[in-house]
């Protein structure tokens, strides 16, 4: 195995087709989501080998997730839990333009992952191990699984990538910040929104926040700023890039696309500028359609956006 290896939770998604809320209407679509599986799918679509490690229930949703990941050519290392179902999120719209998400994940299969579920050779043979703060919040065993995999990666010289991905419905900022700082210190690359960076190191400009996070241990820190672009540091280098302008349909999955674009360019030896510009283009592409994983872009999607903007990013 080489390329990008991700570890995390994938969960079913029930999505309302029209406004009104599930207390008033019943039309829905079925899919799935998960930050780490999104990154794996995006990496493959961008031409990089990628694997996903996780735990799923022995049920229809788990089967759907496995089938889709295989169809997307993601290398799959899924432990099947016979005693707990696959987690679920329900997303409805009580009124037009307003979404409401309800999670059913504590005690479900993804939260029951253990270090024994992680193939050590897959982690040790990767170019990059990518994890998120979501796993830290799910359960003690999920947190220990991620930390164990990160330590293993570091022992074998594998680059460790950490996306904060704070979920306020899982835990408070006060609970999360110390655990995030612990994982930041073990990582080589850190992705954070400016609000997430503020939670960990306080305020300041995006580049000041990046430097403060860098002081905790990582070499590379990327601050995602949505429509305002992105800021990054790599060693002594600093760079800020603007966002690509697109008609936004849904921002879900954009941060995962950003991370995947950055990491794929990293595996190809791209400069900080190439990494950040490609990441920004991937994030913008993901905003142009619905879906967690469905909206993840291909190289063709990104190239079309870049050529339309007049910039030259892809080689």
């Amino acid at each position: 195995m080489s390329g990008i290896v991700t570890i995390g939770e994938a969960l079913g998604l029930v999505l309302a087709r029209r406004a009104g809320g599930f207390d008033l209407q019943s039309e829905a679509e079925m899919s799935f989501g998960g930050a780490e599986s999104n990154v794996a799918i995006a990496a493959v679509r961008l031409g990089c080998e990628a694997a996903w490690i996780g735990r799923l229930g022995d049920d229809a949703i788990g089967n759907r997730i496995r089938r889709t990941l295989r169809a997307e050519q993601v290398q799959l290392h899924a432990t099947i839990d016979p005693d707990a179902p696959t987690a679920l999120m329900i997303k409805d719209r009580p009124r037009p333009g307003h979404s409401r998400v309800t999670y059913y994940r504590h005690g479900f299969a993804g939260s029951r992952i253990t270090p024994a579920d992680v193939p050590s050779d897959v982690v040790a043979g990767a170019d990059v191990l990518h994890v998120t703060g979501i796993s830290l919040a799910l359960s003690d065993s999920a947190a220990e699984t991620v930390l164990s995999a990160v330590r293993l990666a570091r022992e074998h010289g594998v680059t460790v990538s950490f996306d904060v991905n704070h979920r306020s419905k899982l835990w408070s900022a006060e609970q999360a910040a110390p655990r995030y700082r612990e994982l930041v210190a073990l990582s080589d690359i850190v992705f954070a929104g400016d609000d997430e960076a503020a939670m960990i190191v306080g305020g300041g400009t995006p580049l000041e926040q990046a430097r403060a996070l860098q002081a905790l241990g990582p070499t590379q820190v990327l601050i995602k700023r949505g429509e305002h672009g992105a800021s990054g540091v790599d060693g002594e280098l600093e760079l800020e890039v603007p966002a690509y302008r697109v008609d936004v349909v849904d921002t879900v999955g954009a941060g995962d696309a950003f991370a995947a674009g950055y990491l794929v360019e990293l595996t190809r030896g791209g400069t900080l500028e190439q990494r950040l510009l490609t990441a920004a283009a991937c994030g913008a592409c993901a905003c142009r359609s619905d879906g967690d994983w469905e909206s993840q872009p291909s190289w063709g999607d990104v190239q079309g956006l870049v050529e339309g903007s007049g910039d030259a990013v892809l080689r």
Side-chain angles (χ1 to χ4, degrees):
M1 176 69 206
S2 60
I4 299 167
V5 173
T6 68
I7 300 175
E9 177 199 47
L11 63 171
L13 168 62
V14 178
L15 179 65
R17 298 185 61 183
R18 58 186 178 88
F22 282 131
D23 48 345
L24 298 174
Q25 60 97 10
S26 303
E27 294 185 25
E29 297 176 354
M30 186 73 204
S31 186
F32 75 92
E36 300 84 1
S37 54
N38 288 347
V39 170
I41 289 171
V44 171
R45 289 184 179 182
L46 295 171
C48 183
E49 286 190 334
W52 177 80
I53 300 169
R55 191 177 183 100
L56 298 167
D58 186 13
D59 51 31
I61 296 174
N63 292 340
R64 186 187 188 107
I65 293 170
R66 295 200 303 275
R67 184 180 298 112
T68 301
L69 289 174
R70 290 191 182 107
E72 290 289 330
Q73 300 180 54
V74 172
Q75 298 177 33
L76 183 62
H77 303 277
T79 299
I80 306 305
D81 191 327
D83 300 317
T86 304
L88 184 68
M89 58 178 165
I90 296 177
K91 186 175 182 180
D92 63 358
R93 292 181 290 158
R95 59 184 184 274
H98 178 75
S99 294
R100 174 177 59 188
V101 179
T102 303
Y103 294 108
Y104 300 89
R105 59 203 318 178
H106 287 296
F108 286 70
S111 70
R112 289 157 55 96
I113 193 170
T114 71
D117 295 324
V118 178
S120 58
D121 58 329
V122 174
V123 173
D127 293 321
V128 178
L129 172 67
H130 179 74
V131 299
T132 80
I134 297 171
S135 296
L136 298 180
L138 287 177
S139 67
D140 290 342
S141 67
E144 180 52 36
T145 298
V146 162
L147 291 169
S148 175
V150 165
R151 295 186 191 104
L152 176 64
R154 291 178 65 85
E155 289 174 9
H156 289 270
V158 175
T159 298
V160 175
S161 167
F162 170 51
D163 191 338
V164 175
N165 241 324
H166 179 63
R167 294 291 186 268
S168 60
K169 289 191 175 184
L170 292 178
W171 55 354
S172 68
E174 292 73 23
Q175 292 173 306
R179 303 304 305 275
Y180 292 156
R181 281 192 284 270
E182 179 184 5
L183 196 43
V184 166
L186 293 171
S187 301
D188 301 293
I189 304 168
V190 171
F191 298 92
D194 49 7
D195 55 337
E196 294 170 334
M199 184 193 317
I200 301 170
V201 295
T205 68
L207 285 176
E208 287 171 344
Q209 290 180 317
R211 287 299 183 196
L213 285 166
Q214 189 184 49
L216 297 177
T219 303
Q220 303 171 46
V221 178
L222 302 314
I223 305 297
K224 300 176 288 185
R225 298 161 51 213
E227 63 181 7
H228 301 295
S231 307
V233 298
D234 181 358
E236 297 300 317
L237 298 175
E238 295 182 350
L239 184 66
E240 294 187 309
V241 299
Y244 287 89
R245 301 302 173 189
V246 296
D247 293 327
V248 176
V249 174
D250 186 1
T251 60
V252 173
D256 304 325
F258 181 99
Y262 186 92
L263 295 175
V264 169
E265 280 282 22
L266 178 74
T267 65
R268 296 180 172 183
T271 64
L272 177 60
E273 181 179 24
Q274 288 170 325
R275 285 175 253 150
L276 268 178
L277 286 173
T278 297
C282 288
C285 283
C287 291
R288 298 190 296 186
S289 60
D290 289 312
D292 277 42
W293 65 270
E294 296 92 338
S295 64
Q296 299 302 309
S298 67
W299 274 125
D301 297 327
V302 177
Q303 186 68 67
L305 176 64
V306 169
E307 290 176 349
S309 71
D311 290 330
V313 179
L314 307 180
R315 297 183 300 283

